[in-house]
Amino acid sequence: MGTEAVILAGGIGKRLAQAVPKPLLDLCGRPLLGHVMETAAAAADKIHVVYGPQLAEPLAGLEETSSIPFASHLQPEPRGTADALGCALPAIEDSATVIVLCADVPLLQPDTLAQLLSARPETGLALLTMRQSDSQLGRIVRGNDGQVLAIREHADATEEERRIDECNTGVMAASAGQFREWCARTTDRNAQGEFYLTDCIAEAVQDGIPIETRECNPIEGLGVNTMREFAVVAEHWQQQARERLMAQGALMEAPDTVWLSAGMALEEGAVVRIGPHVVFRGSVQLADGIDIGPYTLLRNCKIGADTKIEPFTVIEAAQVGARCRIGPYARIRPETELAEGVQIGNFVEVKKSRIGEGTKVNHLSYVGDSEVGRSVNLGAGTITCNYDGAHKHTTVIGDDVFVGSGTQLIAPVSIGTGATIGAGSTITRDTPPGELTLSRSKQKTHQGWKRPQKD
């Protein structure tokens, strides 16, 4: 038997006016659908996603990258939620319990689904409701004895029914066989001309099937249909994520200003310090003892233990070793690897480079497409000139090299181990190890020269 989740993901979200279909809209580093799948995975043995034609290509990409396996089922035309569920039911045995979820309700918690499934009578139906006044959601219609009689969609409800504050979340559970029979009996004779899944409630009542309800926090049941709802959902997700992170060992001076990502993770047992206005995007892994200064952006990166990141630093798609010091105002770009003890200072940009242990690039420099060894010192204003206007070239710098300030290394070029490069040099050829190499023209003073003047 078992429990299988069916996530209805056919909506495209016209009111959100985004380039991607609504189920794949990014919410704090994870698609709306991904948040729902994560919750479903904690409650169900198998996950099904019902999608429309516009979601076919992006959903195929999600299937390849998702850590949660799922089966996908096409709904060729948008004929309503009962029709959508019917697209998945042929793949599910009659005896299995089916819990129906919506791809645009991302804040539901696993405990809520567990309580709903526990409340479901053995041969009955369980329905998740919430309290919300002045809502466009379907209303829960009850008889004088308090038993559920039907769900009335807002467009079809009377004025009296619209005053009911108990609303449908779209989440319900019954056996696959029951849903199969009820969906087959629904009609599209309603204000929207669709086959409503909510009509299954009246069908269950007609069959004498017991219905149990559980009520959730209105925030958990909030769907994303407008820009405002998206912002509200995002902020509540952030609040929950901040609480979890602080419980794990993050010290945040101003937690309400920190923006987290679903892909962020602390190493087990790690204690980190996060300053105000820090933003995390994508997958970020933090080890113990990290100190992150204010106004820093970390995206898809891994940071080693005891590293200090000074304010206004940006690190993207890079790996940073232990005991590094970065910033302030530094930019570490994709495909960069910093070994242990590296120092990257103010107004330094590093791109697609490997920098060895103990190396220092402390001031006003650009290091791109480079292999830099251990214990190297790159003086202020050092530039690896990696681009000739058509192609990128590599600079190789050996261990224990000292590069003087204001130096340009014209790639492709190699600097030998232990070499010293004189300040102000332009190096266009490989330099030998252990020697001083410099490139300077003779200094001249032009007596009587006059600076040009404006007319």
Side-chain angles (χ1 to χ4, degrees), residues 304-308 321-325 339-343:
D306 299 315
T307 285
K308 184 173 180 59
R323 288 173 286 283
C324 291
R325 187 183 180 103
E340 183 176 333
V342 169
Q343 294 185 29

Side-chain angles (χ1 to χ4, degrees), residues 101-239:
L101 304 171
C102 301
D104 60 356
V105 183
L107 295 181
L108 279 173
Q109 298 300 303
D111 285 349
T112 300
L113 297 190
Q115 291 172 19
L116 183 69
L117 290 168
S118 296
R120 177 187 170 238
E122 186 174 348
T123 59
L125 182 146
L127 182 65
L128 188 66
T129 71
M130 65 180 181
R131 299 286 171 177
Q132 194 171 84
S133 58
D134 192 27
S135 169
Q136 299 295 307
L137 297 174
R139 302 309 203 274
I140 308 300
V141 180
R142 293 181 183 266
N144 293 332
D145 59 357
Q147 295 300 306
V148 174
L149 298 179
I151 297 177
R152 194 80 69 233
E153 294 293 347
H154 180 84
D156 300 290
T158 65
E159 287 302 317
E160 182 180 357
E161 288 170 338
R162 289 181 181 181
R163 287 193 287 271
I164 298 171
D165 69 350
E166 187 179 19
C167 298
N168 174 41
T169 64
V171 180
M172 59 183 73
S175 74
Q178 289 171 319
F179 274 131
R180 198 186 321 278
E181 183 176 343
W182 297 332
C183 287
R185 282 153 47 183
T186 62
T187 73
D188 60 357
R189 293 191 295 272
N190 50 59
Q192 299 186 66
E194 296 182 350
F195 295 90
Y196 294 156
L197 181 59
T198 48
D199 285 350
C200 290
I201 303 303
E203 296 297 331
V205 171
Q206 181 178 315
D207 291 347
I209 298 298
I211 299 175
E212 288 289 337
T213 62
R214 288 294 181 270
E215 188 176 309
C216 72
N217 184 306
I219 292 301
E220 273 195 73
L222 183 61
V224 176
N225 294 294
T226 66
M227 298 292 192
R228 174 61 183 162
E229 288 172 343
F230 178 82
V232 171
V233 165
E235 182 52 44
H236 279 279
W237 188 93
Q238 289 293 326
Q239 290 175 5

Side-chain angles (χ1 to χ4, degrees), residues 21-139:
K22 182 170 65 171
L24 298 184
L25 187 64
D26 185 280
L27 174 69
C28 305
R30 180 179 293 149
L32 289 175
L33 174 59
H35 287 277
V36 180
M37 287 173 56
E38 183 180 43
T39 300
D45 304 304
K46 188 174 182 179
I47 297 174
H48 303 261
V49 175
V50 180
Y51 66 98
Q54 73 285 345
L55 200 65
E57 186 174 339
L59 190 65
L62 182 63
E63 283 185 283
E64 293 179 2
T65 59
S66 175
S67 60
I68 300 174
F70 63 94
S72 55
H73 309 274
L74 175 65
Q75 183 186 23
E77 298 178 26
R79 302 175 61 208
T81 48
D83 179 74
L85 177 58
C87 295
L89 289 175
I92 305 174
E93 293 185 5
D94 282 352
S95 59
T97 297
V98 169
I99 184 164
V100 181
L101 304 171
C102 301
D104 60 356
V105 183
L107 295 181
L108 279 173
Q109 298 300 303
D111 285 349
T112 300
L113 297 190
Q115 291 172 19
L116 183 69
L117 290 168
S118 296
R120 177 187 170 238
E122 186 174 348
T123 59
L125 182 146
L127 182 65
L128 188 66
T129 71
M130 65 180 181
R131 299 286 171 177
Q132 194 171 84
S133 58
D134 192 27
S135 169
Q136 299 295 307
L137 297 174
R139 302 309 203 274

Side-chain angles (χ1 to χ4, degrees), residues 321-384:
R323 288 173 286 283
C324 291
R325 187 183 180 103
I326 304 174
Y329 295 97
R331 184 182 180 194
I332 310 300
R333 290 173 57 190
E335 299 184 65
T336 292
E337 296 180 23
L338 306 182
E340 183 176 333
V342 169
Q343 294 185 29
I344 304 294
N346 50 291
F347 302 102
V348 172
E349 179 178 352
V350 183
K351 171 253 179 185
K352 197 178 180 181
S353 297
R354 287 205 296 259
I355 298 183
E357 183 178 343
T359 286
K360 300 177 182 179
V361 192
N362 277 331
H363 319 280
L364 304 159
S365 295
Y366 171 69
V367 180
D369 296 276
S370 299
E371 299 279 344
V372 183
R374 298 161 54 99
S375 302
V376 171
N377 188 94
L378 300 185
T382 296
I383 299 172
T384 60

Side-chain angles (χ1 to χ4, degrees), residues 275-434:
H277 301 283
V278 174
V279 176
F280 297 89
R281 299 288 191 191
S283 174
V284 179
Q285 299 179 51
L286 302 179
D288 186 44
I290 292 170
D291 188 344
I292 304 171
Y295 296 96
T296 291
L297 169 63
L298 301 179
R299 185 196 307 269
N300 294 326
C301 57
K302 184 176 181 180
I303 312 297
D306 299 315
T307 285
K308 184 173 180 59
I309 302 172
E310 300 286 0
F312 297 97
T313 291
V314 176
I315 302 177
E316 300 181 87
Q319 293 192 39
V320 177
R323 288 173 286 283
C324 291
R325 187 183 180 103
I326 304 174
Y329 295 97
R331 184 182 180 194
I332 310 300
R333 290 173 57 190
E335 299 184 65
T336 292
E337 296 180 23
L338 306 182
E340 183 176 333
V342 169
Q343 294 185 29
I344 304 294
N346 50 291
F347 302 102
V348 172
E349 179 178 352
V350 183
K351 171 253 179 185
K352 197 178 180 181
S353 297
R354 287 205 296 259
I355 298 183
E357 183 178 343
T359 286
K360 300 177 182 179
V361 192
N362 277 331
H363 319 280
L364 304 159
S365 295
Y366 171 69
V367 180
D369 296 276
S370 299
E371 299 279 344
V372 183
R374 298 161 54 99
S375 302
V376 171
N377 188 94
L378 300 185
T382 296
I383 299 172
T384 60
C385 302
N386 57 332
Y387 186 49
D388 64 7
H391 303 96
K392 299 291 178 67
H393 301 282
T394 302
T395 298
V396 178
I397 301 173
D399 297 342
D400 300 307
V401 167
F402 181 94
V403 178
S405 299
T407 293
Q408 301 172 79
L409 304 176
I410 313 298
V413 69
S414 179
I415 309 300
T417 299
T420 298
I421 307 298
S425 295
T426 298
I427 302 299
T428 60
R429 298 189 301 273
D430 292 353
T431 68

Side-chain angles (χ1 to χ4, degrees), residues 218-283:
I219 292 301
E220 273 195 73
L222 183 61
V224 176
N225 294 294
T226 66
M227 298 292 192
R228 174 61 183 162
E229 288 172 343
F230 178 82
V232 171
V233 165
E235 182 52 44
H236 279 279
W237 188 93
Q238 289 293 326
Q239 290 175 5
Q240 295 167 2
R242 291 168 192 143
E243 292 293 334
R244 289 194 299 268
L245 195 65
M246 287 187 286
Q248 291 173 24
L251 173 62
M252 291 192 252
E253 301 165 32
D256 287 349
T257 70
V258 175
W259 196 257
L260 301 175
S261 168
M264 181 188 174
L266 296 188
E267 186 180 85
E268 187 174 354
V271 176
V272 302
R273 187 184 185 98
I274 302 173
H277 301 283
V278 174
V279 176
F280 297 89
R281 299 288 191 191
S283 174

